Amino acid sequence: MPDGLSPSKQTLTPDLLKDFSRVRGDSLELAKGLSDADATVQSMEDASPSKWHLAHVTWFFERFILREHLSGYTPFSDDFDYLFNSYYDAVGDRHPRPRRGMLTRPRLDEVLAYRAHVDAGMETLLSGELNKELAGLVTLGLHHEQQHQELFLTDLLHLFAHNPLKPAFRPPELRLMKGDAAELSWQRFEGGLVEIGHEGEGFFFDCEGPRHKVWLEPFELANRAVTNGEWMSFVSDGGYERPDHWLSDGWATCQAEGWQAPLYWRFEDGEWWTMTLRGWQPVDPKAPVCHVSQYEADAYASWVGARLPDEAEWEVAAHDVPPDGNDVGTGRLSPAPQSGDGLLGLFGDVWEWTRSAYAPYPGFKAAEGAVGEYNGKFMSGQYVLRGGACSTPPGHIRATYRNFFHPGKRWQFAGLRLARDA
C-alpha cells in the first residue's frame, strides 16, 4: 500500500462508521436543492457534473471495498462500473471524461439510490471487525470523497457562471464584510537544511511523503495573500497587456484565452463584480484574489518585484500554524479579508500557488495495483498549490497537503502569497 495507507501511520477514530456517515452525509447536503438538470450538465471538459461526482465517490467504495471484502455483496448495476470509473486504467474501460455531461441517465434520483445501496453495504462491513489495511482503505475513500466535495463546488460554480440568470448555490448575501486586510508585511525565515513531508500519526496521501531533507536559502514570506484590490492595480497598470512579466507559455495562454482579469470578474457600471457560490456579488477589494492561474500568479509576483514561494518554503512557514481557517465549515463560501498579526490565512480562503512543479519526493514509490494510480501518475506538467480554500471541507487541510493543477487552470479557488529572497 502507499505510504499514506501504511497501518503504522494511521490514526483511526474509535468508530469509523461515524466518520463514514458524516462524510457521506456532507455530500448529500451539497446536493440539496439541485435539479436533475443542475446535476447533469457539464460546463467544460475539466469539470464534471454534480451527479457524476456523487456517483464516482460511491463507485470507489463499491469497486475497491465492497466487491473485494463484503461476502455476498451484489453490485447496484454492472453498467456503473464503466460509467463512473475516473482514471483507473487497471480497473478497465470507462466513459470518456469530456462526455460525462451526456449521461442524462441514470437520473439524479437513481444516483442517490445507488449511494443508499452502497452505504447499506458499507454499514454492514463497518459494523464488523476490520484489519488496519482495510480500515486504511476506507479512510482513503473518505478523503477521496472530500476531494470530490470540493470539486463539486468548483465545478458547479463554473456551471452556474455560464447561466445568464446567475443562479446562487446558496442564499445570496453581500460578499463585502466588515473588517480590513492587514497591511502587507514580510516574515523572514533563515532556511538551511530543513525537512518537509508528512511525519507522525494521521492520514496523508502517498504524494505527501516520504519525509526528506531540503536545503533552503534565507527567504521572506508575505503575511497574507494578495488581495482583490491589489490585483485591480495590476489590471489597471496593463498587467494583462504587457508580456514583460509573463512566462512565455503564460503569455501565449493569456493571449489565446483573452484573459483581462481573474475568472468570473466583470466590470459593470464602474465597478468590478464576480460570480460566487452565493450568486453575483461586488468584488471585495480586501479579500484574497481568487480564480487565477499559476501563470497569472507568477506574472503578478514579477510585476511587484517578488516571486511565488517554493512549496518547501511554504511548508516550513506553515509547520507550526494551526490548520484551520475559512473553509466550507464557516459557511461563507468565498475568501474573507485576512487581518491580525503573524502569518494570516495560510489555511483556508484560497489555495496558494507555488513555483514548484508537482514531482515525486525522493524515495516516493507508487503502490502496485489500481489504488497506486491515485497520485503518482499525475506527476507531470502540473504545479503545486498549498493551504486549502473556502471550498475545502473541514478537517481536510494540513501543512503537508500537496494540491496540484496545470498552470493555466483558473476555475479552482486559487490565489497567491508572495515570497522573496532575503
Side-chain angles (χ1 to χ4, degrees), residues 153-187:
L153 292 174
T154 56
D155 293 354
L156 191 66
L157 174 59
H158 190 269
L159 173 65
F160 281 2
H162 282 76
N163 189 319
L165 299 179
K166 298 180 174 63
F169 169 68
R170 290 292 183 261
E173 61 182 24
L174 280 178
R175 188 171 182 177
L176 294 171
M177 299 178 68
K178 292 181 179 179
D180 202 354
E183 290 295 321
L184 181 66
S185 63
W186 299 88
Q187 183 163 331

Side-chain angles (χ1 to χ4, degrees), residues 12-136:
L12 302 176
T13 63
D15 191 346
L16 191 55
L17 178 56
K18 289 184 179 179
D19 286 346
F20 180 83
S21 298
R22 173 180 54 81
V23 172
R24 297 287 283 171
D26 288 345
S27 295
L28 293 180
E29 188 66 29
L30 291 178
K32 280 186 177 180
L34 295 186
S35 68
D36 188 75
D38 289 335
T40 298
V41 177
Q42 181 178 19
S43 56
M44 63 170 174
E45 292 186 4
D46 285 330
S48 295
S50 301
K51 185 171 64 178
W52 188 91
H53 285 301
L54 294 169
H56 166 67
V57 293
T58 304
W59 170 89
F60 185 97
F61 287 110
E62 182 177 70
R63 190 66 179 78
F64 294 123
I65 297 175
L66 293 180
R67 285 177 178 245
E68 303 292 332
H69 300 284
L70 183 60
S71 177
Y73 175 76
T74 302
F76 185 83
S77 169
D78 289 336
D79 291 333
F80 285 12
D81 205 38
Y82 171 81
L83 292 180
F84 300 121
N85 181 4
S86 55
Y87 51 73
Y88 294 92
D89 294 310
V91 171
D93 294 336
R94 58 194 181 275
H95 185 73
R97 177 174 181 171
R99 300 180 62 189
R100 290 172 183 170
M102 302 296 289
L103 297 175
T104 58
R105 304 295 176 91
R107 302 184 306 271
L108 176 59
D109 59 351
E110 292 178 279
V111 168
L112 296 178
Y114 175 41
R115 288 180 64 90
H117 176 84
V118 169
D119 285 354
M122 287 296 297
E123 288 167 6
T124 298
L125 181 71
L126 295 176
S127 296
E129 294 276 334
L130 270 68
N131 61 42
K132 288 187 176 181
E133 183 174 334
L134 182 54

Side-chain angles (χ1 to χ4, degrees), residues 168 170-179 271-285 287 326 331-337:
R170 290 292 183 261
E173 61 182 24
L174 280 178
R175 188 171 182 177
L176 294 171
M177 299 178 68
K178 292 181 179 179
E271 186 177 11
W272 285 106
W273 288 72
T274 188
M275 184 63 181
T276 76
L277 288 167
R278 293 190 179 275
W280 193 235
Q281 303 279 352
V283 173
D284 184 346
N326 176 28
R332 178 180 166 90
L333 299 178
S334 62

Side-chain angles (χ1 to χ4, degrees), residues 292-315:
V292 295
S293 66
Q294 201 266 357
Y295 289 144
E296 291 165 283
D298 184 86
Y300 177 90
S302 173
W303 177 72
V304 296
R307 60 173 173 82
L308 297 180
D310 293 329
E311 65 168 321
E313 293 173 335
W314 193 100
E315 185 173 322

